[in-house]
Amino acid sequence: MVLVWLILILFLGGILAWLADRTRLADPRWIAIATILIDLLVLISFSLSSSSVTIAGQEWWATLDLPWIPRFGIHFILAMDGLAFLMLLLTLFLGLIAVLSSWTEIKKSSGFFHFNLLWTLAGVAGVFTALDLFLFFFFWEVMLIPMYFIIAVWGHENRTYAAIKFFIFTQASGLLMLLAMVALVYFNYQQSGQLSFSYFDLLGANLSGAPVFWLMLGFFIAFVVKLPGVPLHTWLPDAHTQAPTAGSVILAGILLKTGAYGLIRFCVPLFPEESVIFAPTAMTLGVISIIYGALVAFAQTDIKRLIAYTSISHMGFVLLGVYAFNSQGYQGAVMTMLAHGMTSAALFAFAGSVQQRIHTRDMREMGGFWGSAPKMGAIVMFFSIAALGMPGLANFIGEFLVLLGAFKANSWITVVAALGLILAPIYSLVVIQRIFHGKPLVPRDISDFSSREVLMMGMMMLITIGLGLYPQPVMETVGLVLQMGVS
Amino acid sequence: MISIPVEHGLLLATILFCLGLLGVLVRRNIIFVLMSMEIMFNAVGLAFITGGSRWQQADGQVMFMLVLTLAAAEVAVGLALVLQLYKKFKTVDIDVVSDMKG
Amino acid sequence: MLNLLWLVPTFPLAGFLLLALCGLPKRLAAWVGVGSVGIAALLTLGIAVEFLGMPASEQVFRQTLWQWMSSGDFTATFALYLDPLALVMMCIITGIGFLIHLYSVGYMDEDPAFSRFFAYMNLFVAAMLVLVLGDNLVLLYLGWEGVGLCSYLLIGFWYDSPENGYAARKAFIVTRIGDTSMAIGLFLLFMHLGTLDIQQLMQSAGDNWAQGSLLPTLAAALLLGGALGKSAQLPLQTWLPDAMAGPTPISALIHAATMVTAGVYLIARTHELFMLAPEVLFVVAVIGVLTLLISGFTALVQTDIKRILAFSTMSQLGYMFLALGVGAWSAAIFHLMTHAFFKALLFLASGAVIICMHHEQDIFKMGGLRKRLPVSFWSFVIGGLALAALPLTSGYYSKHEILGATHVFARSGDTLWAVAVLGALITGIYTSRLIFVVFFGADKTHADESSIGLNIKLPLIILCVLSLFGGLIHVPLDRVFPLQQVLPHLAGTANALTIAAPFVGILIAYLFFYGKPELSEKVAANSLGKMLQRFWFSGWGFDWLYQKLLVNPLMWLVRANKKDVVDSFYHLIAWLIRLLHRLLSMSQTGRVQWYAAGIALGVVVIVGLGVWRQHLWF
């Protein structure tokens, strides 16, 4: 039941935030913070007290199985394991960061904004816990629509275009997934006579004779659009650039992870044999994402666009790791997801705060900010070098393990992927150079981070360092889940 | 009683219908359009009558009565519209008042 | 005492954190910055005394701090490993590091970002210590990247000028190319040997791989890539001269005494692996002599005092690589140590000159400084003598050992030796050219040493002593490296030539730059001389080549694809759909008659389909 509450609290909090704003009884920002904190509390207290159950040869901390639409074999199944727990933790934490980062940015209808924000989080929380395919699809759509509003209503100058592009890409790929899902259920029904959307029932499905490869591809494309992998990535730079700060933080920090999560949770375990056949292609796509994202990032002058392309590059490592099919690759992929959640959220929050201060995102109009904003400079320097994979910080652990694992699986592809390590400093350091070093074209004083921003960045820095120096607890939490794909 | 072959009746109805349709399609004066529609109605009515006499059933005539009523109602509404149109635009040319564009 | 090993890198790290987070006032910042390294140096001294007091066969100490990461069959621990090799490096890092920190208090006195400077310096020392103490290659890689980061931060320390930023990024990226090769080497080693723990790795490499077979050759070559980048050897040497944009103490600490020698350390640390790959070792030797020669020639024509020293650093690193290549492991480390003494001395002395000259670095704008700057002058003379390896200075002992080992090396040792001796001759020339031009000749300036205090002079004096007598230190590496079969001993003509080379160099420099300066002008004036000078001055055109070959194509590609070519595909789809939309919306005329016609046509078509369906479908 706790699982339902985890999601419900966010939904209710969203409605409350809206109402509070309409009735002017309370500040929706505080309601949002309180909601997320309560949810975090529930999650953590639950994780401390939970005992595990084993279903389908895998350990789950908690499951909930209620009939929903029995006629079509649709259940309301929620379950949580280590991976889902980590993802939920990331979601709630970055939700907090998102609220903080947009603290002063949102001027119009703040209540509706926080409603959308919390509902997106609720959708994501649902995605990370739903284990009925239909329910998963439901939450997949739920997280999309409020996000669309966040971009379309509170975005920047080109918001409508970006929002619609985001919507169409996700929707079209979601349709593919739905088709693949229904077909999978249908073929399973033909084979076993049991009509069920349940993950556990489909996991062991023997689908001889069905066009399983195409079904796998349907799932794969839906998740890779979200990830995003080249060449399905072009919604991302626009959406990230145009979204308000909180939107970018959530998009980069959390929404991209749902794609990776889908690959790990559904695409690979449901179609193990096809995935093995498909692995070289998927890894190649990952490598292309790494290199291509890095190259395009370097060319950008819009800072949010640059960070958006680096996301593509980093998520390429996740794709590479997932399809390496060994524990280094898997754990590295999850570490990369967490690490990228921190660094990209921090960098987007920074970009948002710069835009709020000087009303431009164009790096050609910046320069020499270190002098007037040393705290900002140091913090951004920290996250930039984290992003380029400095050992001792979280991103390194992820990328190193991914490459280590991928090298065992496919040496040549990995050698090319390693070129990404050379490109990463090229784009990361150029950010520092253009914004903080040199002399400003127009002499302007930028105000340094406020204590709210320092607090928010400080939390993320601590986590990045913690994960970089002592990732073992996280990797152990993840460990069991990923065994399944390693067959 | 000399019975007219059913083919002849239907052929006449078809010809009348096509004439009416042509009128609706090509005339620009709305009065003529309405008249052409009347012709189409009557063509349909003729077809019903022919059918009714072929199978010796009253249904055909019943339907014709319905068509007549409908036509009367239509003309009443149609002419009222025409008057309003003419009052407003001082023309009965339907192309001039064509505002229904997507 | 040995159990306090972990404190040695911890103190500088704590210093970094204090300085970075707390915004200390300047005096306190100096105390924290220098003090943390000072404590680390004292601890190192204590550890060294205890460690060397143990029986030679037991001189290994391992301290596991915590399990870093473990995934499947891969484990990396945060563990420190101390053996005589690491100890020597530790002594150099903390000892020289302390002196340079002390010097920096004076040198950076007027800089507004005083505590930021010390923060970076402390972080560097910590990272460098982790590099040499790391028990496994991943931890070593952590230190390796950490020192690279600090190098970046410190080269770009004065961030106002874009050139500094460019130099900093160039240093980071060029070394990163090497680092990536090294990372791939790590993956390869792990894949085939299943561990990255250095000692186990070396053991298992020896057990599993035959000498000269493909895998060890590949692995050694990949590691060598990392070493080449860090130690600025061909073909990844271009970053080091530009790195002189940083403050001079940085050049002394990072780009002369410690970080750039990390490549030498890496090869020495993994020498068992390299010995399985004799081809790679030979390449190391060849790269060493090529670098020492090329950068020697380049140093001959430079005019910036720090760039001359930078090229001489590359050249001396070339000697170390040569030593590694011919299997003279201890000689390489010995030269690493003496080089750290005299090159730190030279850089610090040049820093003193630069302060006194109010940040003028062109040697031809100096001159006759001998009387005006006596401390700097004598430092330069002593450092220069050691650099040129005149007998009885520290540089002589180490370089002589290297040249001796090269001479007896089985595989074209003669040629390597001859080139290296030529290099020694050139070293003599450029070193004495520097000294003659700066300190002798016409008095062109009004500089004096009043602006430098004791905290600058004291490190200089200590380093002078070390440069002179450091050669007498016995490096306790006998048990770390395999004993050399043929004892390097030069005799007869070879010995005489080796000893004479620097003297000849000094003589030539004396002639050209002191005795008859018009001679050098005459040489520089003719067309061949001009061309050579330009060619050498540019560092043999490597920068130009890379610019044309790598940077420009990359930049072109990047600029061409700024708008993301993939997106145009989706734009095409959107365009097609819009086209379709326009076509269909053309049918929406708003004329009832058109619609009626459409309905009629539709009816006809449907009825027709119904009537003739047999002909259509069946």
Side-chain angles (χ1 to χ4, degrees):
Chain A
M1 229 25 221
V2 180
L3 293 173
V4 179
W5 276 112
L6 274 178
I7 299 167
L8 215 56
I9 288 172
L10 293 171
F11 275 127
L12 294 178
I15 295 169
L16 207 63
W18 196 357
L19 288 179
D21 192 40
R22 299 205 62 147
T23 54
R24 310 260 163 225
L25 281 177
D27 192 334
R29 296 177 297 190
W30 285 107
I31 291 187
I33 292 222
T35 309
I36 296 171
L37 282 178
I38 291 171
D39 219 33
L40 261 176
L41 210 65
V42 171
L43 178 68
I44 290 169
S45 63
F46 164 70
S47 74
L48 294 178
S49 65
S50 73
S51 54
S52 59
V53 255
T54 307
I55 304 174
Q58 196 188 340
E59 261 184 68
W60 299 92
W61 295 6
T63 54
L64 175 83
D65 190 344
L66 301 170
W68 187 17
I69 312 176
R71 219 176 131 181
F72 299 122
I74 295 172
H75 291 244
F76 190 87
I77 307 179
L78 296 178
M80 183 162 80
D81 60 356
L83 176 66
F85 169 72
L86 286 176
M87 290 296 125
L88 283 174
L89 211 56
L90 179 75
T91 305
L92 293 176
F93 177 73
L94 288 184
L96 209 60
I97 298 291
V99 176
L100 285 174
S101 68
S102 270
W103 198 252
T104 53
E105 187 193 9
I106 300 304
K107 297 283 193 295
K108 71 175 168 187
S109 45
S110 164
F112 188 48
F113 178 81
H114 288 93
F115 166 81
N116 281 317
L117 196 89
L118 289 171
W119 274 49
T120 309
L121 294 183
V124 175
V127 162
F128 286 143
T129 47
L131 278 189
D132 180 280
L133 262 57
F134 189 82
L135 187 65
F136 176 77
F137 181 76
F138 169 76
F139 281 121
W140 187 262
E141 297 292 306
V142 165
M143 71 180 180
L144 165 65
I145 291 159
M147 196 65 226
Y148 167 81
F149 280 120
I150 288 181
I151 301 173
V153 180
W154 292 273
H156 301 309
E157 66 281 352
N158 205 3
R159 55 178 175 266
T160 322
Y161 170 77
I164 292 179
K165 198 170 181 180
F166 164 70
F167 194 82
I168 291 177
F169 265 84
T170 329
Q171 199 66 354
S173 62
L175 177 69
L176 271 182
M177 178 166 71
L178 183 66
L179 289 178
M181 221 174 244
V182 171
L184 174 68
V185 169
Y186 175 73
F187 287 122
N188 183 46
Y189 174 64
Q190 276 193 329
Q191 296 281 334
S192 65
Q194 187 199 9
L195 189 62
S196 171
F197 276 85
S198 161
Y199 176 70
F200 302 112
D201 290 337
L202 294 170
L203 209 52
N206 171 29
L207 295 169
S208 52
V212 189
F213 191 80
W214 295 102
L215 301 187
M216 189 272 300
L217 216 57
F219 279 90
F220 181 79
I221 289 175
F223 295 137
V224 167
V225 165
K226 207 63 167 199
L227 193 62
V230 175
L232 300 167
H233 65 280
T234 62
W235 63 272
L236 179 129
D238 288 311
H240 280 57
T241 310
Q242 298 303 328
T245 309
S248 305
V249 167
I250 290 191
L251 266 175
I254 311 170
L255 252 63
L256 305 190
K257 305 323 179 271
T258 59
Y261 172 85
L263 286 176
I264 294 174
R265 175 74 82 217
F266 293 100
C267 197
V268 175
L270 287 177
F271 310 101
E273 286 156 27
E274 289 71 24
S275 295
V276 171
I277 298 169
F278 191 62
T281 316
M283 287 172 86
T284 311
L285 278 181
V287 171
I288 292 174
S289 297
I290 294 171
I291 305 287
Y292 189 83
L295 283 178
V296 184
F298 180 48
Q300 302 307 315
T301 46
D302 181 322
I303 174 162
K304 282 180 98 173
R305 228 179 152 73
L306 189 150
I307 305 169
Y309 275 106
T310 68
S311 287
I312 297 172
S313 183
H314 286 126
M315 295 313 277
F317 280 101
V318 175
L319 195 56
L320 192 66
V322 169
Y323 279 89
F325 297 120
N326 49 41
S327 55
Q328 286 99 33
Y330 260 129
Q331 297 194 322
V334 176
M335 280 304 294
T336 306
M337 283 156 74
L338 297 175
H340 173 258
M342 292 302 138
T343 46
S344 66
L347 289 175
F348 273 121
F350 152 72
S353 63
V354 165
Q355 183 171 18
Q356 225 187 328
R357 283 169 168 78
I358 62 171
H359 307 290
T360 177
R361 297 188 308 267
D362 193 336
M363 286 192 288
R364 286 169 296 191
E365 293 178 33
M366 305 177 191
F369 287 175
W370 195 297
S372 43
K375 270 187 268 180
M376 188 191 266
I379 288 171
V380 175
M381 175 80 86
F382 174 87
F383 284 109
S384 293
I385 60 170
L388 65 81
M390 182 57 54
L393 302 176
N395 303 54
F396 168 75
I397 307 285
E399 286 169 19
F400 185 80
L401 286 177
V402 163
L403 290 173
L404 195 68
F407 193 83
K408 282 204 280 189
N410 197 331
S411 304
W412 285 113
I413 287 182
T414 311
V415 168
V416 183
L419 292 182
L421 297 180
I422 302 174
L423 295 173
I426 295 182
Y427 64 70
S428 292
L429 299 182
V430 94
V431 172
I432 300 289
Q433 178 65 38
R434 288 193 196 152
I435 300 179
F436 291 102
H437 290 172
K439 284 200 178 84
L441 282 177
V442 197
R444 48 160 59 116
D445 270 338
I446 184 165
S447 57
D448 209 344
F449 273 157
S450 66
S451 45
R452 165 182 58 87
E453 286 162 319
V454 170
L455 171 79
M456 164 179 112
M457 294 293 189
M459 285 194 288
M460 287 191 277
M461 282 166 84
L462 279 182
I463 293 178
T464 308
I465 296 174
L467 285 178
L469 290 179
Y470 192 48
Q472 204 51 33
V474 171
M475 286 171 41
E476 272 158 25
T477 314
V478 171
L480 293 169
V481 187
L482 304 177
Q483 302 291 323
M484 202 176 59
V486 189
S487 51
Chain B
M1 210 163 84
I2 309 157
S3 69
I4 303 164
V6 72
E7 289 83 7
H8 292 188
L10 285 182
L11 196 64
L12 179 62
T14 313
I15 290 168
L16 275 175
F17 186 84
C18 287
L19 279 174
L21 183 63
L22 207 65
V24 169
L25 292 187
V26 300
R27 296 314 291 249
R28 289 170 60 194
N29 190 322
I30 194 162
I31 308 276
F32 281 93
V33 172
L34 279 174
M35 282 164 67
S36 305
M37 280 171 75
E38 263 337 277
I39 294 173
M40 286 164 76
F41 274 121
N42 284 303
V44 176
L46 181 61
F48 273 120
I49 299 280
T50 318
S53 87
R54 163 71 177 76
W55 281 288
Q56 297 294 311
Q57 294 277 331
D59 297 8
Q61 283 161 15
V62 171
M63 283 310 287
F64 182 64
M65 296 303 282
L66 190 68
V67 169
L68 266 187
T69 332
L70 241 161
E74 189 250 66
V75 166
V77 175
L79 282 177
L81 279 175
V82 170
L83 280 177
Q84 286 300 316
L85 211 63
Y86 185 71
K87 247 187 187 166
K88 204 162 178 187
F89 295 99
K90 300 285 170 216
T91 175
V92 286
D93 183 337
I94 49 170
D95 279 0
V96 174
V97 297
S98 142
D99 268 346
M100 215 169 71
K101 278 199 177 122
Chain C
M1 194 76 195
L2 279 183
N3 286 321
L4 298 181
L5 181 61
W6 63 279
L7 279 174
V8 178
T10 305
F11 267 106
L13 188 67
F16 160 73
L17 289 176
L18 263 178
L19 290 166
L21 298 178
C22 298
L24 301 174
K26 194 163 151 188
R27 258 188 102 71
L28 200 58
W31 275 103
V32 170
V34 180
S36 64
V37 180
I39 295 173
L42 284 178
L43 279 170
T44 308
L45 196 67
I47 288 169
V49 168
E50 184 178 332
F51 191 74
L52 294 176
M54 299 195 305
S57 55
E58 292 169 20
Q59 285 182 351
V60 160
F61 176 73
R62 181 179 274 116
Q63 188 171 37
T64 305
L65 300 179
W66 70 85
Q67 169 121 345
W68 189 10
M69 52 182 147
S70 151
S71 167
D73 49 353
F74 171 72
T75 313
T77 47
F78 243 92
L80 306 179
Y81 177 83
L82 184 69
D83 69 348
L85 174 60
L87 187 71
V88 171
M89 294 299 290
M90 256 173 86
C91 291
I92 296 172
I93 295 160
T94 53
I96 305 228
F98 172 69
L99 291 178
I100 294 175
H101 273 70
L102 192 62
Y103 174 93
S104 305
V105 176
Y107 190 85
M108 300 300 289
D109 190 39
E110 309 203 327
D111 201 283
F114 188 79
S115 71
R116 183 162 63 95
F117 179 81
F118 277 97
Y120 291 165
M121 289 275 275
N122 276 4
L123 183 64
F124 169 79
V125 172
M128 191 70 203
L129 285 167
V130 171
L131 194 164
V132 297
L133 286 171
D135 181 40
N136 57 58
L137 284 175
V138 191
L139 196 55
L140 187 147
Y141 191 73
L142 185 149
W144 189 270
E145 289 291 301
V147 292
L149 169 70
C150 296
S151 159
Y152 160 78
L153 291 172
L154 286 162
I155 295 169
F157 181 74
W158 289 311
Y159 55 79
D160 301 349
S161 105
E163 296 84 50
N164 293 357
Y166 179 78
R169 275 177 296 143
K170 183 174 174 186
F172 196 88
I173 291 162
V174 173
T175 50
R176 188 75 186 230
I177 294 172
D179 298 355
T180 303
S181 143
M182 176 175 161
I184 296 172
L186 301 198
F187 304 147
L188 185 79
L189 284 170
F190 175 71
M191 180 173 161
H192 290 282
L193 299 175
T195 177
L196 284 178
D197 183 287
I198 297 175
Q199 303 310 316
Q200 283 177 24
L201 197 66
M202 293 304 125
Q203 182 71 37
S204 139
D207 294 346
N208 294 321
W209 285 344
Q211 194 176 34
S213 60
L214 178 67
L215 281 174
T217 308
L218 209 56
L222 286 167
L223 290 191
L224 173 63
L228 294 181
K230 256 314 174 248
S231 291
Q233 297 294 294
L234 279 175
L236 296 176
Q237 83 288 26
T238 55
W239 63 273
L240 186 59
D242 290 343
M244 296 299 125
T248 310
I250 301 311
S251 313
L253 179 62
I254 300 185
H255 304 121
T258 54
M259 185 190 85
V260 287
T261 60
V264 180
Y265 170 78
L266 176 71
I267 296 178
R269 177 50 84 203
T270 55
H271 65 274
E272 284 100 332
L273 175 68
F274 276 85
M275 283 161 76
L276 293 175
E279 296 300 321
V280 178
L281 263 187
F282 187 64
V283 170
V284 171
V286 172
I287 287 177
V289 286
L290 282 180
T291 311
L292 76 87
L293 203 61
I294 286 179
S295 44
F297 276 115
T298 313
L300 273 181
V301 295
Q302 298 298 317
T303 55
D304 183 315
I305 186 168
K306 283 179 73 181
R307 277 179 90 87
I308 297 175
L309 292 176
F311 281 108
S312 91
T313 303
M314 275 156 64
S315 166
Q316 297 307 307
L317 288 165
Y319 278 104
M320 293 176 216
F321 269 68
L322 173 65
L324 295 170
V326 299
W329 309 103
S330 348
I333 299 299
F334 189 27
H335 194 55
L336 189 161
M337 183 182 79
T338 57
H339 173 254
F341 297 151
F342 61 73
K343 192 50 68 64
L345 172 63
L346 282 171
F347 264 116
L348 295 189
S350 79
V353 172
I354 289 168
I355 296 187
C356 298
M357 293 290 299
H358 306 289
H359 296 275
E360 176 56 61
Q361 301 196 3
D362 187 339
I363 54 170
F364 289 102
K365 296 202 174 129
M366 304 171 186
L369 293 176
R370 182 169 34 120
K371 297 260 171 52
R372 293 183 172 276
L373 313 173
V375 177
S376 311
F377 170 64
W378 283 109
S379 304
F380 248 103
V381 168
I382 291 169
L385 292 179
L387 173 61
L390 292 197
L392 302 180
T393 61
S394 62
Y396 169 77
Y397 292 101
S398 52
K399 202 181 262 182
H400 205 69
E401 243 181 73
I402 294 175
L403 291 173
T406 311
H407 192 247
V408 296
F409 187 55
R411 198 165 161 185
S412 27
D414 294 343
T415 321
L416 293 176
W417 171 81
V419 180
V421 169
L422 179 61
L425 175 92
I426 294 167
T427 310
I429 301 179
Y430 68 69
T431 310
S432 22
R433 166 178 177 260
L434 175 61
I435 293 173
F436 284 132
V437 172
V438 173
F439 292 100
F440 291 85
D443 193 352
K444 297 179 190 166
T445 62
H446 305 285
D448 65 69
E449 267 180 353
S450 60
S451 54
I452 60 174
L454 188 62
N455 46 21
I456 287 185
K457 285 178 185 158
L458 189 67
L460 287 178
I461 294 164
I462 296 175
L463 284 170
C464 279
V465 174
L466 284 172
S467 300
L468 278 178
F469 305 111
L472 303 175
I473 300 173
H474 174 66
V475 192
L477 294 173
D478 303 337
R479 296 193 70 87
V480 180
F481 299 119
L483 284 175
Q484 279 160 305
Q485 278 86 17
V486 193
L487 277 179
H489 190 75
L490 284 170
T493 336
N495 195 23
L497 278 175
T498 310
I499 295 175
F503 285 106
V504 177
I506 292 171
L507 210 65
I508 294 173
Y510 176 80
L511 206 64
F512 271 75
F513 298 102
Y514 188 65
K516 293 185 174 162
E518 65 276 5
L519 211 59
S520 66
E521 280 158 25
K522 206 183 282 173
V523 171
N526 76 34
S527 63
L528 182 74
K530 258 186 194 156
M531 211 177 68
L532 266 185
Q533 194 185 10
R534 226 178 22 239
F535 182 58
W536 287 349
F537 187 79
S538 70
W540 295 50
F542 276 97
D543 272 325
W544 176 85
L545 191 70
Y546 292 160
Q547 186 75 28
K548 290 272 181 238
L549 223 60
L550 297 169
V551 180
N552 287 351
L554 182 79
M555 292 306 287
W556 178 85
L557 185 74
V558 160
R559 284 212 190 93
N561 194 29
K562 184 183 174 191
K563 293 229 179 291
D564 194 350
V565 66
V566 178
D567 205 21
S568 52
F569 169 72
Y570 296 102
H571 278 294
L572 182 73
I573 294 181
W575 181 79
L576 276 178
I577 287 174
R578 229 175 270 139
L579 188 74
L580 213 63
H581 153 80
R582 227 168 265 142
L583 281 177
L584 284 176
S585 68
M586 263 160 64
S587 69
Q588 299 244 329
T589 53
R591 293 186 186 174
V592 185
Q593 288 162 328
W594 273 102
Y595 298 160
I599 293 169
L601 198 72
V603 168
V604 169
V605 168
I606 288 169
V607 169
L609 285 179
V611 171
W612 285 291
R613 68 169 189 280
Q614 284 92 344
H615 306 283
L616 289 172
W617 272 285
F618 304 106

